[in-house]
Structures are given as C-alpha cells and as structure tokens.
Amino acid sequence: MDAKGVLEYARKHEAKILDLRFTDLPGLWHHVSFPIHQLDESSFEEGFGMDGSSIRGWASIHESDMLLVPDPSTAFLDPFRDVTTLVMIGDVVDPITKQSYSRDPRFVARKAEAYLGFSGVADQAFIGAEAEFFIFDNVRFDQREQHGYYFIDAEEGRWNSGREEHNLGYRPRYKEGYFPVPPTDHYMDLRTDMAVKMEDCGLTVECHHHEVATGGQTEIDIKFDTLLRSADHMMLFKYVARNVANQYGKTVTFMPKPLFQDNGNGMHTHQSLWLKGKPLFAGDQYAGLSQTALWYIGGLLKHAPATVAFCAPTTNSYKRLVPGFEAPVNLAYSRRNRSAAVRIPMYSPNPKAKRLEFRPPDPSSNPYLAFAALLMAGIDGIENKIDPGEPLDKDIYDLSPEELKQVPSLPGSLDEALAALENDHEFLLKGDVFTEDVIRLWIDYKRKNEVNAVRMRPHPYEFQLYYDI
C-alpha cells in the first residue's frame, strides 16, 4: 500500500488508533499510539515526534528529539487490540537534518540492500529465517545479592511425567519431540491459531510443527522475502507468537537455551542472491551451486566469528553453540552435515530454490542487524573470491581428533564473538552500511550490560561445585 491506500484502508476498517512501531538496538519492538485522526498524507513525510533518549543504545538526552516516519507498505490491523488499531513500522529520522538516524537498525538493513545493488553483485537478496521458540505455562526468575534462580514449567514438559495430580502422560521425551501427533503434541491448536493470526497480519505461513525438545518447542515457518521485509516479518512473527500464547494463558520465549540437556532455539537463515530476476546461486559445482554461491559461502565462513556477535548475540546463545553436539559450530559447509555452519538444502532441483542455510543464528538476534551482517559477509566473499575450502560431508562425530583440529569453529562465548567483531569489521563498513559508531556502541553495550553483568554474578551450579571446597 501507498499513503493514500493506507488512509483508505483505515477508513474502510474504521480504525480508531494508529500504532507506530520501531526496533531498539538489541532488537525489541517499541510502540507509540495516536488517535487515527492524527494520520494524514503529510504524516508519511513529516512523521511523528518522539523521544529517543530512553531507547537502549540511542540518542543522548541533549539530542533526544526524533521523528518516526511510517512506512505505508508495512500496514496491518492488530488482531489483539479491543479497539480497531492500524499498525505501521516507522523509520527513525533526525528532525534537524531530515536524515535517517544511523543507529536505527532498520536503516542499517536498508543500507545493506542498497549496497548490494551498488556493488553490482546482485540486485536482490532473499532471506528466509526459521525461528524456533518454546511455549511454557509458567516461568519464575530472580537474581539478588544473596540468591539467584530460575524455574520453568510446562504441562508438556517431560519432567512432569511423575507428577501425582491429574496426569495423562503423553509428553515428548527429551530430544525426541520432532513431529509427534496430538495428544503428545499438546500445542497443535495453539500453533494453528498463531499461524492464522500471522496470515491475518500479512505473513505467509509455509508450515508449523513441534520441534525436537520437550516442553513445547515449536517452529512456524514463514515465506522468504527481501532482506528488509524478512526482518520486518520476524518482528511481527515474534509479536504474534507472544500475544497468541498470552491469550491462552501461556508464555513464549525466543531465548536460545532455556532448558538444560535438551535442544535450544535456532534461527536457521536461508539466503540467496538474484540479478535481473534470475537466481545466482544455482550452478554445476558442489551440491548444484554456482561459483558465486561458493564465494558467498567463503565470505560467510571467513567472517562468521565476527557476524555471530550479531547473529548469536547473547551470553545464553553460547549455551546452545557447544562443540560436540548437533549445534552448528564448525566453520565448514555441507549438503549433509547439520553440524556445519553452512548447509545446502537439497529438497528441490529447481534453480530458483537453490540457497544457502547459515545455521548458527538464533532468534535472540536483532534481525535487521543479523541479516545485514550476513549479506555483507557474503558480498565480501564474492568481491574477493574467497575460497570456502572443501566441504565437510563426513559425520562430525566420526572425525579423528587430528581431522577435527583442521576444522575451525565459532567463538565459544559472546565475549569472544565481540572480540572477533572488534578485529574484523571492515567488510561491514563498506557503503557505510554499518558505521564505526554503531559497531562500537554494540560492542560496548553488550560487554557492559550482558557479558560483564553475567560474569560478576555467582551461578547456582557453582554452589554445587564449590560450596564445600
């Protein structure tokens, strides 16, 4: 829709409220609401005033005034509000210069798409992200000077199999929750409701299913789109999943590793490049790939230690990315090995379906920054013809210690990933897509508020290890 189309859409559905949304640096949606009569055609150029000083990672107090300019192509009706509410995503603009705000994550994604076209490598990047999440019935957590704990519960959790009160069984075993039918799959109706609401909001759902872990792990796949649209869609995806669960009296988390000794939440990210309506990744080389695709893989693998600072951006991410398990920590590519960082899906021989799947990301990511970083790494691979090496088609568990040493791996912690980003980010600065300011801000924010904050707090398990030492 364009501006006139949005106004007509609002009149047709008798919308009473305009809700404008934007994303902070770590990746959470924020919003501000206005009576619908505040919206007219000029709003799509002049925007709405807001205070940016209270948003994480944004302006200081002396430069807090910002404009939020609605993007008419993102309009939808919020299915969860009592009063008919029109929602749009806004772009953040400096009210003095009228320039896009450099710390707005959506602007970074826009610049990545623009740089792709400027590079001549391609004119479209398509992203398809598969975000997994858990559906729990109850969660408690606290951290104080003299205690720290978390407690999770889910009716479907295997740990409830021995419960004395009303207990019907039918719970997925640990690591065996993939594709069971109801009643073992407790959440088919809930997921279907999520899928329907997503489609009502304009997303295209491809499928939904129970995932591997017990306790309600879920995956809903939505159709790929261009980089910016896919990032917009991921923000909407999370919003719908959380709100439908809330209506059912349940809670959703996209935290990468909430359960000990069971699978975590990934966000496998499929990528492909197109030029003038033709796919660039199909060819006659390994796994049906083109040389361009192999160079793109070379860029992904070379810069993976740096890009995971955006794609696996929490301390908890590295509870999922642990060597020796199914987690994709090995910096290699394969059409068979799911522990490799890059997998080449082989579902379809159609050249239009040829794509790469980067498996380390998780849904705690800010999708605007994560997708932009991956694209910039891939472009760098193509521009510099980076050789990805030989594929890793052997079972990782069958490799000898000597062979395993030859396979590089991802950083083992967020702190290591931030150090890698500190040392390797020139490829992100091309075309002013990422700026030194944004990268420095990201590193400093993550170290101060997450790495150091976790590092200085005693862990509950340390009491079992060390209390009587």
Side-chain angles (χ1 to χ4, degrees):
M1 281 188 281
D2 59 12
K4 289 183 179 179
V6 169
L7 293 172
E8 177 56 34
Y9 183 73
R11 282 192 292 269
K12 176 182 176 182
H13 292 279
E14 298 182 344
K16 298 292 191 295
I17 294 292
L18 165 67
D19 200 55
L20 286 183
R21 302 194 179 167
F22 59 95
T23 305
D24 68 8
L25 198 70
L28 285 184
W29 240 3
H30 297 258
H31 77 130
V32 57
S33 303
F34 306 88
I36 197 68
H37 61 72
Q38 298 279 10
L39 180 69
D40 57 32
E41 278 196 63
S42 67
S43 305
F44 294 90
E45 291 187 5
E46 297 174 4
F48 294 83
M50 61 167 285
D51 177 5
S53 64
S54 298
I55 303 302
R56 294 181 299 175
W58 278 21
S60 56
I61 194 69
H62 69 278
E63 53 183 15
S64 59
D65 289 346
M66 297 283 174
L67 292 176
L68 197 55
V69 180
D71 180 344
S73 67
T74 64
F76 68 93
L77 294 179
D78 191 322
F80 304 106
R81 308 281 64 86
D82 294 333
V83 174
T84 306
T85 300
L86 175 72
V87 179
M88 284 185 281
I89 298 174
D91 292 304
V92 184
V93 172
D94 186 295
I96 306 301
T97 66
K98 302 298 183 182
Q99 299 296 309
S100 296
Y101 184 48
S102 64
R103 295 181 178 181
D104 177 10
R106 198 165 190 259
F107 182 45
V108 175
R110 282 191 184 279
K111 288 189 289 182
E113 288 189 320
Y115 180 74
L116 176 66
F118 174 79
S119 72
V121 167
D123 53 25
Q124 282 185 307
F126 288 105
I127 302 288
E130 303 169 344
E132 298 165 343
F133 57 93
F134 280 91
I135 302 168
F136 295 139
D137 287 284
N138 189 44
V139 59
R140 293 185 285 119
F141 49 88
D142 196 14
Q143 176 82 56
R144 298 295 175 91
E145 289 76 8
Q146 93 296 359
H147 72 250
Y149 70 89
Y150 68 89
F151 184 88
I152 293 166
D153 202 10
E155 169 60 31
E156 196 200 71
R158 188 70 178 183
W159 56 83
N160 277 319
S161 294
R163 194 177 65 195
E164 288 188 18
E165 63 268 24
H166 185 67
N167 190 344
L168 300 179
Y170 296 116
R171 296 181 176 90
R173 297 176 181 87
Y174 297 106
K175 296 182 179 291
E176 294 184 24
Y178 202 58
F179 282 22
V181 297
T184 303
D185 177 1
H186 288 215
Y187 299 124
M188 181 174 179
D189 290 336
L190 174 54
R191 288 198 312 272
T192 296
D193 197 354
M194 289 177 177
V196 170
K197 289 290 197 304
M198 288 176 186
E199 296 224 317
D200 288 345
C201 293
L203 302 182
T204 300
V205 174
E206 295 186 328
C207 69
H208 68 77
H209 58 84
H210 201 289
E211 258 297 341
V212 174
T214 191
Q217 192 183 32
T218 285
E219 181 176 313
I220 302 175
D221 292 341
I222 56 176
K223 188 178 180 181
F224 68 89
D225 210 320
T226 58
L227 187 151
L228 180 66
R229 290 291 173 240
S230 287
D232 288 341
H233 292 170
M234 186 51 60
M235 300 305 297
L236 177 54
F237 175 99
K238 289 182 174 183
Y239 177 75
V240 173
R242 288 174 176 138
N243 277 276
V244 171
N246 191 64
Q247 289 181 331
Y248 278 70
K250 300 184 185 296
T251 179
V252 156
T253 183
F254 292 90
M255 187 175 175
K257 188 72 171 179
L259 295 185
F260 174 52
Q261 291 189 327
D262 211 338
N263 283 40
N265 291 324
M267 188 179 72
H268 305 152
T269 303
H270 297 252
Q271 302 157 71
S272 66
L273 298 183
W274 290 56
L275 180 63
K276 297 179 180 178
K278 294 183 179 180
L280 298 182
F281 280 3
D284 58 2
Q285 302 204 38
Y286 174 80
L289 295 175
S290 65
Q291 182 61 63
T292 296
L294 290 172
W295 286 332
Y296 190 101
I297 292 173
L300 288 179
L301 295 178
K302 176 182 177 181
H303 299 299
T307 61
V308 292
F310 293 108
C311 298
T314 67
T315 58
N316 185 254
S317 298
Y318 299 86
K319 303 292 196 297
R320 167 181 170 258
L321 296 174
V322 178
F325 296 89
E326 189 181 340
V329 298
N330 302 291
L331 295 180
Y333 67 104
S334 176
R335 62 186 169 193
R336 297 167 53 193
N337 195 329
R338 289 176 181 262
S339 64
V342 178
R343 187 178 76 91
I344 299 94
M346 302 297 291
Y347 300 124
S348 171
N350 189 337
K352 293 182 178 181
K354 185 56 65 177
R355 61 194 187 275
L356 311 173
E357 178 191 22
F358 191 62
R359 294 176 63 80
D362 68 58
S364 68
S365 305
N366 182 327
Y368 298 103
L369 302 181
F371 299 165
L374 293 178
L375 177 62
M376 295 303 289
I379 293 173
D380 189 65
I382 295 169
E383 290 179 333
N384 292 291
K385 299 182 178 180
I386 298 174
D387 183 0
E390 294 299 314
L392 180 65
D393 281 337
K394 293 182 179 180
D395 187 332
I396 191 71
Y397 302 111
D398 290 339
L399 294 180
S400 67
E402 291 74 22
E403 289 177 305
L404 195 57
K405 286 181 181 178
Q406 303 305 311
V407 182
S409 62
L410 288 172
S413 69
L414 177 59
D415 200 25
E416 291 178 20
L418 294 171
L421 176 61
E422 212 165 25
N423 295 323
D424 176 29
H425 61 259
E426 289 296 321
F427 69 100
L428 296 173
L429 301 178
K430 294 178 181 178
D432 202 35
V433 173
F434 286 79
T435 62
E436 287 280 5
D437 171 67
V438 166
I439 291 171
R440 186 73 260 163
L441 178 66
W442 182 264
I443 292 170
D444 291 346
Y445 179 90
K446 287 286 176 177
R447 281 188 174 150
K448 176 183 176 182
N449 295 285
E450 299 178 32
V451 172
N452 292 339
V454 170
R455 178 185 287 153
M456 67 190 291
R457 284 167 167 79
H459 189 285
Y461 194 64
E462 289 178 310
F463 284 81
Q464 296 196 50
L465 292 173
Y466 308 127
Y467 188 77
D468 60 351
I469 199 166

